Amino acid sequence: MKVTREQASQNRDRVLDVAARLFRERGFEGIGVADLMKSAGLTHGGFYGQFASKEELMAEACARSFDGAVNTWTKIGGRATGNPLAAVMKGYLSQQHRDNPGEGCVMAALGADASRQGSSLRHAVTVGTRKLLDLFTTFAPGRIKAVKRERALVAYASMVGALILARAVDDEALSDEILHAVAAALPGAS
């Protein structure tokens, strides 16, 4: 039975959503195409009708994750009653974010893996990182654009590093301490 274009588009979206989550949970090498397609409720054979390679899927899944983060953080910053960057940091440096990598930041989950991948994936990460930094720059306190950009860079790099460390340690108290310390020390946190 032939699928309609609409169904094919929905299937592709489902594969991208599942891949974005599973890559963040397990890493790029932690799940194969067959298991990924099964998790999406589709057959392995349908994969190559939608994607040329696993690397293409990885790049598109990362781009989708970044776009989702930009949308989420735009909403959080827009609802903030005070400093929008501080509102984003509060959610980012939380136990909930730490404990749910499949739903969280693609850089904290896959940044080290991405650095060892091909050019299309690294390009998707570059584009996504620029989008986030542009958003954080608009949120950062200050009037001078260069200062705001620097604050955005420091905030984003610190948040990603803190989340990686908080996820890596096996002591919950230390993990919480890392998140709280970085949140308190970041420029614009208050």
Side-chain angles (χ1 to χ4, degrees), residues 92-94 98-99 107-109 157-182:
Y92 192 101
L93 296 170
S94 68
R98 176 196 63 203
D99 297 344
M107 283 304 291
S158 298
M159 290 176 354
V160 169
L163 195 59
I164 291 169
L165 286 171
R167 286 178 176 165
V169 299
D170 68 354
D171 179 335
E172 189 171 352
L174 176 58
S175 179
D176 290 343
E177 183 181 9
I178 292 165
L179 295 175
H180 291 106
V182 172

Side-chain angles (χ1 to χ4, degrees), residues 33-81:
V33 170
D35 288 334
L36 197 148
M37 293 299 285
K38 183 178 178 181
S39 294
L42 300 167
T43 63
H44 179 233
F47 175 80
Y48 292 102
Q50 297 175 5
F51 303 96
S53 65
K54 184 178 177 184
E55 183 174 334
E56 179 184 317
L57 173 63
M58 291 166 22
E60 289 190 38
C62 282
R64 181 167 286 222
S65 295
F66 275 110
D67 288 344
V70 168
N71 289 335
T72 298
W73 293 340
T74 297
K75 290 176 188 171
I76 290 170
R79 289 191 307 253
T81 57

Side-chain angles (χ1 to χ4, degrees), residues 76-144:
I76 290 170
R79 289 191 307 253
T81 57
N83 180 336
L85 186 56
V88 168
M89 286 186 235
K90 182 179 179 184
Y92 192 101
L93 296 170
S94 68
Q95 292 174 338
Q96 180 180 353
H97 190 203
R98 176 196 63 203
D99 297 344
N100 295 288
E103 302 300 321
C105 176
V106 67
M107 283 304 291
L110 296 170
D113 284 350
S115 69
R116 293 184 285 274
Q117 300 300 321
S119 61
S120 64
L121 183 118
R122 294 190 68 208
H123 182 70
V125 169
T126 300
V127 169
T129 298
R130 284 190 174 124
K131 287 178 183 179
L132 287 175
L133 289 171
D134 289 347
L135 176 64
F136 286 0
T137 299
T138 67
F139 289 169
R143 291 191 176 111
I144 301 169

